[in-house]
């Protein structure tokens, strides 16, 4: 009976967590579209006028839509949500074969294709790292991807849960969702998360303060007493498009 009660409590907390983030899905797909030269405005217009509505119509959750801060005319990155992994292909194929989508895509490509290349990453929620409330909109967002050393992915999640997120917030950095990648070959996942601030300048200053915070240095050193955790970090700045649910 005690185990059942504990399980029900955990499920209740999970539902609250997702509600706080404003996201209902449990399985995610991040797609980055590299646009053909001069085609980004048409691509954004197609998303705004057609694609988002058709995703929603076919049971796919619109989570976020970003353009690169450094190359706004080149890449568009967006995150979609699904109820679970098994439903991904079913819902995507339903969308892809929707006559309304076929018509919109065909009309938008009357003068040539819009997308040159598509990159995909599948993700799930990171363990116990999304119990914070949905942040207010930011002027700049940075997506950070952590490649951990073998066997250290749980260590990085523990450090974020117990220390890092609160220390980010102390410096004015906004915590957005935290995910783990789903690797096709079954290898160790990467930690992917988003931080926000009012501007890139404010973000960089806040991050400098975080790096120099004695409490962060103490937490980092203690967590790495038995060895280094992170092998490499990728960090990319984005700006949310006006129609993005996540801003």
């Amino acid at each position: 009976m005690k185990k059942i009660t504990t399980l029900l409590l955990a499920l209740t907390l999970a539902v609250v967590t997702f509600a706080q983030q404003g996201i209902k899905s449990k399985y995610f797909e991040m797609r980055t579209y590299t646009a053909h030269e001069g085609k980004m405005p048409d691509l954004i217009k197609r998303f705004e006028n057609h694609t988002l509505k058709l995703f929603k119509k076919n049971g796919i959750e619109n989570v976020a839509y970003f353009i690169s801060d450094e190359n706004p005319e080149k890449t568009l990155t967006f995150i979609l949500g699904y109820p679970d992994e098994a439903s991904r292909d079913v819902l995507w194929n339903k969308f892809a074969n929707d006559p309304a989508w076929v018509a919109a895509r065909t009309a938008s490509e009357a003068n040539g294709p819009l997308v040159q290349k598509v990159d995909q990453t599948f993700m799930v929620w990171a363990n116990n790292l999304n119990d914070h409330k949905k942040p207010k909109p930011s002027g700049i967002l940075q997506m950070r991807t952590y490649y951990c050393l073998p066997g250290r992915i749980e260590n990085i999640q523990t450090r974020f849960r117990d220390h890092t997120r609160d220390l980010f917030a102390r410096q004015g950095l906004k915590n957005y969702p935290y995910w783990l990648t789903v690797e096709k070959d079954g290898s160790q996942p990467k930690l992917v998360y988003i931080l926000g601030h009012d501007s890139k300048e404010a973000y960089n200053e806040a991050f400098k303060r975080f790096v120099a915070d004695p409490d962060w240095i103490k937490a980092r050193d203690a967590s790495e007493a038995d060895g280094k955790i992170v092998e490499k970090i990728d960090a990319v700045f984005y700006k949310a498009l006006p129609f993005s649910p996540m801003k």
Side-chain angles (χ1 to χ4, degrees), residues 181-190:
T181 62
V182 178
E183 302 297 330
K184 292 181 180 179
D185 60 1
S187 61
Q188 178 174 265
K190 305 174 187 69

Side-chain angles (χ1 to χ4, degrees), residues 3-23:
K3 290 183 178 179
I4 294 175
T5 302
T6 302
L7 177 60
L8 290 173
L9 178 60
L11 290 172
T12 300
L13 289 173
V15 171
V16 172
T17 295
F18 298 154
Q20 286 178 337
Q21 290 295 309
I23 301 170

Side-chain angles (χ1 to χ4, degrees), residues 115-133:
V115 179
Q116 181 180 9
K117 185 178 72 167
V118 178
D119 294 309
Q120 291 172 287
T121 300
F122 291 98
M123 307 182 296
V124 294
W125 291 109
N127 298 331
N128 302 312
L129 291 181
N130 291 290
D131 55 351
H132 50 279
K133 293 182 178 180

